[in-house]
Amino acid sequence: MTSAPPSWRIQALAKRPDLIPALAEALWECWGAVFPEKTVAVRTAGLHARTNPDRLPTTVVATATDGALLGTASILFDDMETRPDLNPWLATVFVMPGQRGHGLGAALCAAAEAEAWRLGVPRLHLYTFDKRGYYAALGWRDLETVDYAGQPTAIMVKDRPV
Ligand SMILES: CC(C)(COP(=O)(O)OP(=O)(O)OC[C@H]1O[C@@H](n2cnc3c(N)ncnc32)[C@H](O)[C@@H]1OP(=O)(O)O)[C@@H](O)C(=O)NCCC(=O)NCCS
């Protein structure tokens, strides 16, 4: 017997603001050790500020057929406060631990990028500590390597498709 392929729905967080508490907790669990200043309360406020369906900053969420949270990605400003010259950013790309490896991360990136292109963004940036290869496979290219949060960090860019 073969198992059914995973299915999900990706939509703007503006359509599912009820997911914000679970999302803030999940992001804290994932990155709390690296960015302790981004508490659940700080992340909750940040997510509320991204419930914009037609302007940046914005967040997309993936849900299962039963409506449960599966993952997220955002387009936001000043993700790397040491580089205010680079904006906007693809950020907080996250898939719930039990849901990884089925293409959802790529689908979330594509959905967030599509929203940025739709809103007229010419170039997106991201930074990553350890997923450079992952993003390169998704069409991102290296811009610089910097020290950030005490770690060597790749800054990558992607241009709006012509
Ligand atoms: C990164 C993340 C979003 C990917 O989500 P996902 O749904 O598993 O992603 P996809 O299914 O689209 O891609 C998984 C593939 O990427 C590969 N991959 C994962 N990390 C990688 C890396 N650092 N370099 C290269 N490939 C990588 C996996 O091996 C897998 O390959 P396969 O499809 O050949 O098996 C998820 O692992 C996650 O939420 N991680 C914690 C948060 C995080 O690190 N976010 C990125 C911050 S920059």
mmCIF file with all atom_site columns, all heavy atoms in Angstrom, residues 30-31 93-95 99-107 127-128 130-135, ligand 1:
data_model
loop_
_atom_site.group_PDB
_atom_site.id
_atom_site.type_symbol
_atom_site.label_atom_id
_atom_site.label_alt_id
_atom_site.label_comp_id
_atom_site.label_asym_id
_atom_site.label_entity_id
_atom_site.label_seq_id
_atom_site.pdbx_PDB_ins_code
_atom_site.Cartn_x
_atom_site.Cartn_y
_atom_site.Cartn_z
_atom_site.occupancy
_atom_site.B_iso_or_equiv
_atom_site.pdbx_formal_charge
_atom_site.auth_seq_id
_atom_site.auth_comp_id
_atom_site.auth_asym_id
_atom_site.auth_atom_id
_atom_site.pdbx_PDB_model_num
ATOM   1   N N   . CYS A 1 30  ? 12.010 27.043 17.710 1.00 0.00 ? 30  CYS A N   1
ATOM   2   C CA  . CYS A 1 30  ? 13.026 26.822 16.673 1.00 0.00 ? 30  CYS A CA  1
ATOM   3   C C   . CYS A 1 30  ? 14.234 27.734 16.872 1.00 0.00 ? 30  CYS A C   1
ATOM   4   O O   . CYS A 1 30  ? 15.371 27.294 16.756 1.00 0.00 ? 30  CYS A O   1
ATOM   5   C CB  . CYS A 1 30  ? 12.402 27.063 15.299 1.00 0.00 ? 30  CYS A CB  1
ATOM   6   S SG  . CYS A 1 30  ? 13.506 26.691 13.926 1.00 0.00 ? 30  CYS A SG  1
ATOM   7   N N   . TRP A 1 31  ? 13.996 29.018 17.170 1.00 0.00 ? 31  TRP A N   1
ATOM   8   C CA  . TRP A 1 31  ? 15.087 29.997 17.155 1.00 0.00 ? 31  TRP A CA  1
ATOM   9   C C   . TRP A 1 31  ? 15.332 30.711 18.484 1.00 0.00 ? 31  TRP A C   1
ATOM   10  O O   . TRP A 1 31  ? 16.152 31.617 18.541 1.00 0.00 ? 31  TRP A O   1
ATOM   11  C CB  . TRP A 1 31  ? 14.823 31.041 16.054 1.00 0.00 ? 31  TRP A CB  1
ATOM   12  C CG  . TRP A 1 31  ? 15.123 30.526 14.691 1.00 0.00 ? 31  TRP A CG  1
ATOM   13  C CD1 . TRP A 1 31  ? 16.334 30.093 14.222 1.00 0.00 ? 31  TRP A CD1 1
ATOM   14  C CD2 . TRP A 1 31  ? 14.201 30.376 13.594 1.00 0.00 ? 31  TRP A CD2 1
ATOM   15  N NE1 . TRP A 1 31  ? 16.219 29.681 12.903 1.00 0.00 ? 31  TRP A NE1 1
ATOM   16  C CE2 . TRP A 1 31  ? 14.928 29.859 12.498 1.00 0.00 ? 31  TRP A CE2 1
ATOM   17  C CE3 . TRP A 1 31  ? 12.848 30.642 13.432 1.00 0.00 ? 31  TRP A CE3 1
ATOM   18  C CZ2 . TRP A 1 31  ? 14.332 29.590 11.261 1.00 0.00 ? 31  TRP A CZ2 1
ATOM   19  C CZ3 . TRP A 1 31  ? 12.258 30.377 12.203 1.00 0.00 ? 31  TRP A CZ3 1
ATOM   20  C CH2 . TRP A 1 31  ? 12.994 29.858 11.140 1.00 0.00 ? 31  TRP A CH2 1
ATOM   21  N N   . VAL A 1 93  ? 11.533 31.208 7.361  1.00 0.00 ? 93  VAL A N   1
ATOM   22  C CA  . VAL A 1 93  ? 11.072 30.035 6.602  1.00 0.00 ? 93  VAL A CA  1
ATOM   23  C C   . VAL A 1 93  ? 11.111 28.849 7.564  1.00 0.00 ? 93  VAL A C   1
ATOM   24  O O   . VAL A 1 93  ? 12.170 28.496 8.095  1.00 0.00 ? 93  VAL A O   1
ATOM   25  C CB  . VAL A 1 93  ? 11.978 29.780 5.380  1.00 0.00 ? 93  VAL A CB  1
ATOM   26  C CG1 . VAL A 1 93  ? 11.530 28.529 4.642  1.00 0.00 ? 93  VAL A CG1 1
ATOM   27  C CG2 . VAL A 1 93  ? 11.974 30.997 4.462  1.00 0.00 ? 93  VAL A CG2 1
ATOM   28  N N   . PHE A 1 94  ? 9.967  28.253 7.786  1.00 0.00 ? 94  PHE A N   1
ATOM   29  C CA  . PHE A 1 94  ? 9.876  27.233 8.845  1.00 0.00 ? 94  PHE A CA  1
ATOM   30  C C   . PHE A 1 94  ? 8.806  26.210 8.499  1.00 0.00 ? 94  PHE A C   1
ATOM   31  O O   . PHE A 1 94  ? 7.699  26.551 8.101  1.00 0.00 ? 94  PHE A O   1
ATOM   32  C CB  . PHE A 1 94  ? 9.510  27.918 10.174 1.00 0.00 ? 94  PHE A CB  1
ATOM   33  C CG  . PHE A 1 94  ? 9.174  26.950 11.278 1.00 0.00 ? 94  PHE A CG  1
ATOM   34  C CD1 . PHE A 1 94  ? 10.181 26.318 11.993 1.00 0.00 ? 94  PHE A CD1 1
ATOM   35  C CD2 . PHE A 1 94  ? 7.854  26.658 11.585 1.00 0.00 ? 94  PHE A CD2 1
ATOM   36  C CE1 . PHE A 1 94  ? 9.871  25.404 12.999 1.00 0.00 ? 94  PHE A CE1 1
ATOM   37  C CE2 . PHE A 1 94  ? 7.527  25.753 12.582 1.00 0.00 ? 94  PHE A CE2 1
ATOM   38  C CZ  . PHE A 1 94  ? 8.543  25.119 13.295 1.00 0.00 ? 94  PHE A CZ  1
ATOM   39  N N   . VAL A 1 95  ? 9.169  24.942 8.657  1.00 0.00 ? 95  VAL A N   1
ATOM   40  C CA  . VAL A 1 95  ? 8.224  23.830 8.496  1.00 0.00 ? 95  VAL A CA  1
ATOM   41  C C   . VAL A 1 95  ? 8.227  23.036 9.799  1.00 0.00 ? 95  VAL A C   1
ATOM   42  O O   . VAL A 1 95  ? 9.305  22.769 10.367 1.00 0.00 ? 95  VAL A O   1
ATOM   43  C CB  . VAL A 1 95  ? 8.619  22.934 7.298  1.00 0.00 ? 95  VAL A CB  1
ATOM   44  C CG1 . VAL A 1 95  ? 7.760  21.672 7.230  1.00 0.00 ? 95  VAL A CG1 1
ATOM   45  C CG2 . VAL A 1 95  ? 8.516  23.721 5.992  1.00 0.00 ? 95  VAL A CG2 1
ATOM   46  N N   . GLN A 1 99  ? 6.946  17.506 9.491  1.00 0.00 ? 99  GLN A N   1
ATOM   47  C CA  . GLN A 1 99  ? 6.403  17.710 8.141  1.00 0.00 ? 99  GLN A CA  1
ATOM   48  C C   . GLN A 1 99  ? 7.486  17.988 7.105  1.00 0.00 ? 99  GLN A C   1
ATOM   49  O O   . GLN A 1 99  ? 7.168  18.353 5.965  1.00 0.00 ? 99  GLN A O   1
ATOM   50  C CB  . GLN A 1 99  ? 5.414  18.887 8.164  1.00 0.00 ? 99  GLN A CB  1
ATOM   51  C CG  . GLN A 1 99  ? 4.328  18.781 9.201  1.00 0.00 ? 99  GLN A CG  1
ATOM   52  C CD  . GLN A 1 99  ? 3.375  17.633 8.912  1.00 0.00 ? 99  GLN A CD  1
ATOM   53  O OE1 . GLN A 1 99  ? 3.171  17.277 7.749  1.00 0.00 ? 99  GLN A OE1 1
ATOM   54  N NE2 . GLN A 1 99  ? 2.807  17.058 9.951  1.00 0.00 ? 99  GLN A NE2 1
ATOM   55  N N   . ARG A 1 100 ? 8.735  17.844 7.492  1.00 0.00 ? 100 ARG A N   1
ATOM   56  C CA  . ARG A 1 100 ? 9.826  18.247 6.598  1.00 0.00 ? 100 ARG A CA  1
ATOM   57  C C   . ARG A 1 100 ? 10.142 17.167 5.558  1.00 0.00 ? 100 ARG A C   1
ATOM   58  O O   . ARG A 1 100 ? 9.850  15.996 5.753  1.00 0.00 ? 100 ARG A O   1
ATOM   59  C CB  . ARG A 1 100 ? 11.064 18.589 7.428  1.00 0.00 ? 100 ARG A CB  1
ATOM   60  C CG  . ARG A 1 100 ? 10.818 19.828 8.273  1.00 0.00 ? 100 ARG A CG  1
ATOM   61  C CD  . ARG A 1 100 ? 11.953 20.148 9.230  1.00 0.00 ? 100 ARG A CD  1
ATOM   62  N NE  . ARG A 1 100 ? 11.525 21.252 10.111 1.00 0.00 ? 100 ARG A NE  1
ATOM   63  C CZ  . ARG A 1 100 ? 12.156 21.641 11.201 1.00 0.00 ? 100 ARG A CZ  1
ATOM   64  N NH1 . ARG A 1 100 ? 13.271 21.025 11.569 1.00 0.00 ? 100 ARG A NH1 1
ATOM   65  N NH2 . ARG A 1 100 ? 11.684 22.632 11.923 1.00 0.00 ? 100 ARG A NH2 1
ATOM   66  N N   . GLY A 1 101 ? 10.771 17.613 4.463  1.00 0.00 ? 101 GLY A N   1
ATOM   67  C CA  . GLY A 1 101 ? 11.244 16.685 3.449  1.00 0.00 ? 101 GLY A CA  1
ATOM   68  C C   . GLY A 1 101 ? 10.222 16.306 2.399  1.00 0.00 ? 101 GLY A C   1
ATOM   69  O O   . GLY A 1 101 ? 10.447 15.388 1.608  1.00 0.00 ? 101 GLY A O   1
ATOM   70  N N   . HIS A 1 102 ? 9.102  17.037 2.352  1.00 0.00 ? 102 HIS A N   1
ATOM   71  C CA  . HIS A 1 102 ? 8.066  16.758 1.342  1.00 0.00 ? 102 HIS A CA  1
ATOM   72  C C   . HIS A 1 102 ? 7.893  17.908 0.353  1.00 0.00 ? 102 HIS A C   1
ATOM   73  O O   . HIS A 1 102 ? 6.904  17.938 -0.380 1.00 0.00 ? 102 HIS A O   1
ATOM   74  C CB  . HIS A 1 102 ? 6.724  16.475 2.011  1.00 0.00 ? 102 HIS A CB  1
ATOM   75  C CG  . HIS A 1 102 ? 6.729  15.294 2.916  1.00 0.00 ? 102 HIS A CG  1
ATOM   76  N ND1 . HIS A 1 102 ? 6.938  14.002 2.472  1.00 0.00 ? 102 HIS A ND1 1
ATOM   77  C CD2 . HIS A 1 102 ? 6.591  15.210 4.260  1.00 0.00 ? 102 HIS A CD2 1
ATOM   78  C CE1 . HIS A 1 102 ? 6.903  13.173 3.494  1.00 0.00 ? 102 HIS A CE1 1
ATOM   79  N NE2 . HIS A 1 102 ? 6.708  13.879 4.597  1.00 0.00 ? 102 HIS A NE2 1
ATOM   80  N N   . GLY A 1 103 ? 8.800  18.883 0.392  1.00 0.00 ? 103 GLY A N   1
ATOM   81  C CA  . GLY A 1 103 ? 8.694  19.998 -0.547 1.00 0.00 ? 103 GLY A CA  1
ATOM   82  C C   . GLY A 1 103 ? 7.940  21.199 -0.012 1.00 0.00 ? 103 GLY A C   1
ATOM   83  O O   . GLY A 1 103 ? 7.788  22.192 -0.729 1.00 0.00 ? 103 GLY A O   1
ATOM   84  N N   . LEU A 1 104 ? 7.485  21.129 1.226  1.00 0.00 ? 104 LEU A N   1
ATOM   85  C CA  . LEU A 1 104 ? 6.703  22.257 1.747  1.00 0.00 ? 104 LEU A CA  1
ATOM   86  C C   . LEU A 1 104 ? 7.566  23.503 1.932  1.00 0.00 ? 104 LEU A C   1
ATOM   87  O O   . LEU A 1 104 ? 7.117  24.624 1.650  1.00 0.00 ? 104 LEU A O   1
ATOM   88  C CB  . LEU A 1 104 ? 6.016  21.875 3.061  1.00 0.00 ? 104 LEU A CB  1
ATOM   89  C CG  . LEU A 1 104 ? 5.155  22.965 3.714  1.00 0.00 ? 104 LEU A CG  1
ATOM   90  C CD1 . LEU A 1 104 ? 4.140  23.537 2.731  1.00 0.00 ? 104 LEU A CD1 1
ATOM   91  C CD2 . LEU A 1 104 ? 4.457  22.424 4.956  1.00 0.00 ? 104 LEU A CD2 1
ATOM   92  N N   . GLY A 1 105 ? 8.807  23.333 2.397  1.00 0.00 ? 105 GLY A N   1
ATOM   93  C CA  . GLY A 1 105 ? 9.690  24.494 2.548  1.00 0.00 ? 105 GLY A CA  1
ATOM   94  C C   . GLY A 1 105 ? 9.853  25.211 1.219  1.00 0.00 ? 105 GLY A C   1
ATOM   95  O O   . GLY A 1 105 ? 9.744  26.447 1.141  1.00 0.00 ? 105 GLY A O   1
ATOM   96  N N   . ALA A 1 106 ? 10.082 24.453 0.151  1.00 0.00 ? 106 ALA A N   1
ATOM   97  C CA  . ALA A 1 106 ? 10.229 25.052 -1.182 1.00 0.00 ? 106 ALA A CA  1
ATOM   98  C C   . ALA A 1 106 ? 8.939  25.741 -1.607 1.00 0.00 ? 106 ALA A C   1
ATOM   99  O O   . ALA A 1 106 ? 8.959  26.832 -2.183 1.00 0.00 ? 106 ALA A O   1
ATOM   100 C CB  . ALA A 1 106 ? 10.629 23.976 -2.188 1.00 0.00 ? 106 ALA A CB  1
ATOM   101 N N   . ALA A 1 107 ? 7.803  25.104 -1.306 1.00 0.00 ? 107 ALA A N   1
ATOM   102 C CA  . ALA A 1 107 ? 6.508  25.693 -1.693 1.00 0.00 ? 107 ALA A CA  1
ATOM   103 C C   . ALA A 1 107 ? 6.244  26.991 -0.928 1.00 0.00 ? 107 ALA A C   1
ATOM   104 O O   . ALA A 1 107 ? 5.719  27.961 -1.494 1.00 0.00 ? 107 ALA A O   1
ATOM   105 C CB  . ALA A 1 107 ? 5.391  24.682 -1.445 1.00 0.00 ? 107 ALA A CB  1
ATOM   106 N N   . TYR A 1 127 ? 19.224 35.673 4.784  1.00 0.00 ? 127 TYR A N   1
ATOM   107 C CA  . TYR A 1 127 ? 20.469 35.206 5.387  1.00 0.00 ? 127 TYR A CA  1
ATOM   108 C C   . TYR A 1 127 ? 20.235 33.835 5.992  1.00 0.00 ? 127 TYR A C   1
ATOM   109 O O   . TYR A 1 127 ? 19.118 33.487 6.389  1.00 0.00 ? 127 TYR A O   1
ATOM   110 C CB  . TYR A 1 127 ? 21.035 36.196 6.422  1.00 0.00 ? 127 TYR A CB  1
ATOM   111 C CG  . TYR A 1 127 ? 20.305 36.260 7.730  1.00 0.00 ? 127 TYR A CG  1
ATOM   112 C CD1 . TYR A 1 127 ? 20.505 35.298 8.724  1.00 0.00 ? 127 TYR A CD1 1
ATOM   113 C CD2 . TYR A 1 127 ? 19.429 37.302 7.994  1.00 0.00 ? 127 TYR A CD2 1
ATOM   114 C CE1 . TYR A 1 127 ? 19.851 35.370 9.934  1.00 0.00 ? 127 TYR A CE1 1
ATOM   115 C CE2 . TYR A 1 127 ? 18.761 37.377 9.211  1.00 0.00 ? 127 TYR A CE2 1
ATOM   116 C CZ  . TYR A 1 127 ? 18.965 36.412 10.171 1.00 0.00 ? 127 TYR A CZ  1
ATOM   117 O OH  . TYR A 1 127 ? 18.309 36.482 11.369 1.00 0.00 ? 127 TYR A OH  1
ATOM   118 N N   . THR A 1 128 ? 21.305 33.074 5.996  1.00 0.00 ? 128 THR A N   1
ATOM   119 C CA  . THR A 1 128 ? 21.204 31.723 6.549  1.00 0.00 ? 128 THR A CA  1
ATOM   120 C C   . THR A 1 128 ? 22.527 31.324 7.189  1.00 0.00 ? 128 THR A C   1
ATOM   121 O O   . THR A 1 128 ? 23.597 31.636 6.677  1.00 0.00 ? 128 THR A O   1
ATOM   122 C CB  . THR A 1 128 ? 20.781 30.709 5.471  1.00 0.00 ? 128 THR A CB  1
ATOM   123 O OG1 . THR A 1 128 ? 20.716 29.408 6.069  1.00 0.00 ? 128 THR A OG1 1
ATOM   124 C CG2 . THR A 1 128 ? 21.735 30.666 4.284  1.00 0.00 ? 128 THR A CG2 1
ATOM   125 N N   . ASP A 1 130 ? 23.082 27.943 8.030  1.00 0.00 ? 130 ASP A N   1
ATOM   126 C CA  . ASP A 1 130 ? 23.430 26.558 7.657  1.00 0.00 ? 130 ASP A CA  1
ATOM   127 C C   . ASP A 1 130 ? 22.628 25.997 6.478  1.00 0.00 ? 130 ASP A C   1
ATOM   128 O O   . ASP A 1 130 ? 22.733 24.807 6.190  1.00 0.00 ? 130 ASP A O   1
ATOM   129 C CB  . ASP A 1 130 ? 23.234 25.645 8.871  1.00 0.00 ? 130 ASP A CB  1
ATOM   130 C CG  . ASP A 1 130 ? 21.786 25.629 9.349  1.00 0.00 ? 130 ASP A CG  1
ATOM   131 O OD1 . ASP A 1 130 ? 20.988 26.456 8.880  1.00 0.00 ? 130 ASP A OD1 1
ATOM   132 O OD2 . ASP A 1 130 ? 21.460 24.781 10.201 1.00 0.00 ? 130 ASP A OD2 1
ATOM   133 N N   . LYS A 1 131 ? 21.845 26.844 5.779  1.00 0.00 ? 131 LYS A N   1
ATOM   134 C CA  . LYS A 1 131 ? 21.003 26.315 4.695  1.00 0.00 ? 131 LYS A CA  1
ATOM   135 C C   . LYS A 1 131 ? 21.386 26.907 3.345  1.00 0.00 ? 131 LYS A C   1
ATOM   136 O O   . LYS A 1 131 ? 20.550 26.982 2.444  1.00 0.00 ? 131 LYS A O   1
ATOM   137 C CB  . LYS A 1 131 ? 19.524 26.612 4.976  1.00 0.00 ? 131 LYS A CB  1
ATOM   138 C CG  . LYS A 1 131 ? 18.964 26.012 6.254  1.00 0.00 ? 131 LYS A CG  1
ATOM   139 C CD  . LYS A 1 131 ? 18.710 24.534 6.089  1.00 0.00 ? 131 LYS A CD  1
ATOM   140 C CE  . LYS A 1 131 ? 17.981 23.902 7.263  1.00 0.00 ? 131 LYS A CE  1
ATOM   141 N NZ  . LYS A 1 131 ? 18.665 24.051 8.556  1.00 0.00 ? 131 LYS A NZ  1
ATOM   142 N N   . ARG A 1 132 ? 22.656 27.278 3.208  1.00 0.00 ? 132 ARG A N   1
ATOM   143 C CA  . ARG A 1 132 ? 23.081 27.897 1.958  1.00 0.00 ? 132 ARG A CA  1
ATOM   144 C C   . ARG A 1 132 ? 22.810 26.979 0.763  1.00 0.00 ? 132 ARG A C   1
ATOM   145 O O   . ARG A 1 132 ? 22.278 27.400 -0.262 1.00 0.00 ? 132 ARG A O   1
ATOM   146 C CB  . ARG A 1 132 ? 24.575 28.230 2.047  1.00 0.00 ? 132 ARG A CB  1
ATOM   147 C CG  . ARG A 1 132 ? 25.045 29.095 0.920  1.00 0.00 ? 132 ARG A CG  1
ATOM   148 C CD  . ARG A 1 132 ? 26.563 29.253 0.901  1.00 0.00 ? 132 ARG A CD  1
ATOM   149 N NE  . ARG A 1 132 ? 26.965 29.386 -0.488 1.00 0.00 ? 132 ARG A NE  1
ATOM   150 C CZ  . ARG A 1 132 ? 27.193 28.352 -1.289 1.00 0.00 ? 132 ARG A CZ  1
ATOM   151 N NH1 . ARG A 1 132 ? 27.125 27.115 -0.825 1.00 0.00 ? 132 ARG A NH1 1
ATOM   152 N NH2 . ARG A 1 132 ? 27.513 28.548 -2.550 1.00 0.00 ? 132 ARG A NH2 1
ATOM   153 N N   . GLY A 1 133 ? 23.144 25.709 0.917  1.00 0.00 ? 133 GLY A N   1
ATOM   154 C CA  . GLY A 1 133 ? 22.935 24.747 -0.170 1.00 0.00 ? 133 GLY A CA  1
ATOM   155 C C   . GLY A 1 133 ? 21.462 24.586 -0.510 1.00 0.00 ? 133 GLY A C   1
ATOM   156 O O   . GLY A 1 133 ? 21.088 24.443 -1.679 1.00 0.00 ? 133 GLY A O   1
ATOM   157 N N   . TYR A 1 134 ? 20.634 24.610 0.520  1.00 0.00 ? 134 TYR A N   1
ATOM   158 C CA  . TYR A 1 134 ? 19.183 24.485 0.318  1.00 0.00 ? 134 TYR A CA  1
ATOM   159 C C   . TYR A 1 134 ? 18.671 25.622 -0.544 1.00 0.00 ? 134 TYR A C   1
ATOM   160 O O   . TYR A 1 134 ? 17.954 25.412 -1.527 1.00 0.00 ? 134 TYR A O   1
ATOM   161 C CB  . TYR A 1 134 ? 18.496 24.484 1.687  1.00 0.00 ? 134 TYR A CB  1
ATOM   162 C CG  . TYR A 1 134 ? 16.996 24.406 1.626  1.00 0.00 ? 134 TYR A CG  1
ATOM   163 C CD1 . TYR A 1 134 ? 16.355 23.229 1.268  1.00 0.00 ? 134 TYR A CD1 1
ATOM   164 C CD2 . TYR A 1 134 ? 16.216 25.513 1.926  1.00 0.00 ? 134 TYR A CD2 1
ATOM   165 C CE1 . TYR A 1 134 ? 14.972 23.163 1.212  1.00 0.00 ? 134 TYR A CE1 1
ATOM   166 C CE2 . TYR A 1 134 ? 14.838 25.452 1.878  1.00 0.00 ? 134 TYR A CE2 1
ATOM   167 C CZ  . TYR A 1 134 ? 14.220 24.275 1.522  1.00 0.00 ? 134 TYR A CZ  1
ATOM   168 O OH  . TYR A 1 134 ? 12.855 24.218 1.456  1.00 0.00 ? 134 TYR A OH  1
ATOM   169 N N   . TYR A 1 135 ? 19.056 26.852 -0.193 1.00 0.00 ? 135 TYR A N   1
ATOM   170 C CA  . TYR A 1 135 ? 18.563 28.006 -0.949 1.00 0.00 ? 135 TYR A CA  1
ATOM   171 C C   . TYR A 1 135 ? 19.205 28.085 -2.338 1.00 0.00 ? 135 TYR A C   1
ATOM   172 O O   . TYR A 1 135 ? 18.550 28.523 -3.292 1.00 0.00 ? 135 TYR A O   1
ATOM   173 C CB  . TYR A 1 135 ? 18.774 29.295 -0.159 1.00 0.00 ? 135 TYR A CB  1
ATOM   174 C CG  . TYR A 1 135 ? 17.844 29.395 1.020  1.00 0.00 ? 135 TYR A CG  1
ATOM   175 C CD1 . TYR A 1 135 ? 18.311 29.303 2.324  1.00 0.00 ? 135 TYR A CD1 1
ATOM   176 C CD2 . TYR A 1 135 ? 16.473 29.563 0.837  1.00 0.00 ? 135 TYR A CD2 1
ATOM   177 C CE1 . TYR A 1 135 ? 17.450 29.385 3.408  1.00 0.00 ? 135 TYR A CE1 1
ATOM   178 C CE2 . TYR A 1 135 ? 15.605 29.638 1.913  1.00 0.00 ? 135 TYR A CE2 1
ATOM   179 C CZ  . TYR A 1 135 ? 16.099 29.546 3.195  1.00 0.00 ? 135 TYR A CZ  1
ATOM   180 O OH  . TYR A 1 135 ? 15.233 29.614 4.261  1.00 0.00 ? 135 TYR A OH  1
HETATM 181 C C1  . LIG B 2 .   ? 14.654 24.496 6.062  1.00 0.00 ? 1   LIG B C1  1
HETATM 182 C C2  . LIG B 2 .   ? 13.240 23.923 6.094  1.00 0.00 ? 1   LIG B C2  1
HETATM 183 C C3  . LIG B 2 .   ? 12.251 25.071 6.008  1.00 0.00 ? 1   LIG B C3  1
HETATM 184 C C4  . LIG B 2 .   ? 13.058 23.022 4.887  1.00 0.00 ? 1   LIG B C4  1
HETATM 185 O O1  . LIG B 2 .   ? 11.717 22.547 4.901  1.00 0.00 ? 1   LIG B O1  1
HETATM 186 P P1  . LIG B 2 .   ? 11.296 21.207 4.095  1.00 0.00 ? 1   LIG B P1  1
HETATM 187 O O2  . LIG B 2 .   ? 9.826  21.216 3.946  1.00 0.00 ? 1   LIG B O2  1
HETATM 188 O O3  . LIG B 2 .   ? 11.940 20.021 4.707  1.00 0.00 ? 1   LIG B O3  1
HETATM 189 O O4  . LIG B 2 .   ? 12.000 21.554 2.710  1.00 0.00 ? 1   LIG B O4  1
HETATM 190 P P2  . LIG B 2 .   ? 11.850 20.790 1.330  1.00 0.00 ? 1   LIG B P2  1
HETATM 191 O O5  . LIG B 2 .   ? 11.043 19.552 1.510  1.00 0.00 ? 1   LIG B O5  1
HETATM 192 O O6  . LIG B 2 .   ? 11.428 21.789 0.338  1.00 0.00 ? 1   LIG B O6  1
HETATM 193 O O7  . LIG B 2 .   ? 13.360 20.430 1.002  1.00 0.00 ? 1   LIG B O7  1
HETATM 194 C C5  . LIG B 2 .   ? 14.010 19.431 1.751  1.00 0.00 ? 1   LIG B C5  1
HETATM 195 C C6  . LIG B 2 .   ? 15.279 19.097 1.017  1.00 0.00 ? 1   LIG B C6  1
HETATM 196 O O8  . LIG B 2 .   ? 16.266 20.092 1.296  1.00 0.00 ? 1   LIG B O8  1
HETATM 197 C C7  . LIG B 2 .   ? 17.439 19.434 1.724  1.00 0.00 ? 1   LIG B C7  1
HETATM 198 N N1  . LIG B 2 .   ? 18.178 20.276 2.658  1.00 0.00 ? 1   LIG B N1  1
HETATM 199 C C8  . LIG B 2 .   ? 17.855 20.580 3.923  1.00 0.00 ? 1   LIG B C8  1
HETATM 200 N N2  . LIG B 2 .   ? 18.828 21.335 4.466  1.00 0.00 ? 1   LIG B N2  1
HETATM 201 C C9  . LIG B 2 .   ? 19.761 21.517 3.506  1.00 0.00 ? 1   LIG B C9  1
HETATM 202 C C10 . LIG B 2 .   ? 21.007 22.198 3.443  1.00 0.00 ? 1   LIG B C10 1
HETATM 203 N N3  . LIG B 2 .   ? 21.488 22.869 4.490  1.00 0.00 ? 1   LIG B N3  1
HETATM 204 N N4  . LIG B 2 .   ? 21.687 22.179 2.274  1.00 0.00 ? 1   LIG B N4  1
HETATM 205 C C11 . LIG B 2 .   ? 21.219 21.513 1.219  1.00 0.00 ? 1   LIG B C11 1
HETATM 206 N N5  . LIG B 2 .   ? 20.049 20.835 1.210  1.00 0.00 ? 1   LIG B N5  1
HETATM 207 C C12 . LIG B 2 .   ? 19.346 20.844 2.344  1.00 0.00 ? 1   LIG B C12 1
HETATM 208 C C13 . LIG B 2 .   ? 16.936 18.178 2.392  1.00 0.00 ? 1   LIG B C13 1
HETATM 209 O O9  . LIG B 2 .   ? 17.966 17.216 2.431  1.00 0.00 ? 1   LIG B O9  1
HETATM 210 C C14 . LIG B 2 .   ? 15.818 17.765 1.451  1.00 0.00 ? 1   LIG B C14 1
HETATM 211 O O10 . LIG B 2 .   ? 16.357 17.155 0.293  1.00 0.00 ? 1   LIG B O10 1
HETATM 212 P P3  . LIG B 2 .   ? 15.529 16.004 -0.477 1.00 0.00 ? 1   LIG B P3  1
HETATM 213 O O11 . LIG B 2 .   ? 14.256 16.664 -0.950 1.00 0.00 ? 1   LIG B O11 1
HETATM 214 O O12 . LIG B 2 .   ? 16.445 15.641 -1.586 1.00 0.00 ? 1   LIG B O12 1
HETATM 215 O O13 . LIG B 2 .   ? 15.288 14.952 0.517  1.00 0.00 ? 1   LIG B O13 1
HETATM 216 C C15 . LIG B 2 .   ? 12.997 23.076 7.371  1.00 0.00 ? 1   LIG B C15 1
HETATM 217 O O14 . LIG B 2 .   ? 14.013 22.113 7.475  1.00 0.00 ? 1   LIG B O14 1
HETATM 218 C C16 . LIG B 2 .   ? 12.951 23.898 8.645  1.00 0.00 ? 1   LIG B C16 1
HETATM 219 O O15 . LIG B 2 .   ? 11.908 24.440 9.013  1.00 0.00 ? 1   LIG B O15 1
HETATM 220 N N6  . LIG B 2 .   ? 14.098 23.986 9.339  1.00 0.00 ? 1   LIG B N6  1
HETATM 221 C C17 . LIG B 2 .   ? 14.182 24.749 10.594 1.00 0.00 ? 1   LIG B C17 1
HETATM 222 C C18 . LIG B 2 .   ? 14.113 26.238 10.318 1.00 0.00 ? 1   LIG B C18 1
HETATM 223 C C19 . LIG B 2 .   ? 15.186 26.700 9.361  1.00 0.00 ? 1   LIG B C19 1
HETATM 224 O O16 . LIG B 2 .   ? 16.343 26.342 9.461  1.00 0.00 ? 1   LIG B O16 1
HETATM 225 N N7  . LIG B 2 .   ? 14.761 27.550 8.390  1.00 0.00 ? 1   LIG B N7  1
HETATM 226 C C20 . LIG B 2 .   ? 15.633 28.133 7.419  1.00 0.00 ? 1   LIG B C20 1
HETATM 227 C C21 . LIG B 2 .   ? 16.274 29.331 8.012  1.00 0.00 ? 1   LIG B C21 1
HETATM 228 S S1  . LIG B 2 .   ? 17.463 30.061 6.899  1.00 0.00 ? 1   LIG B S1  1
#
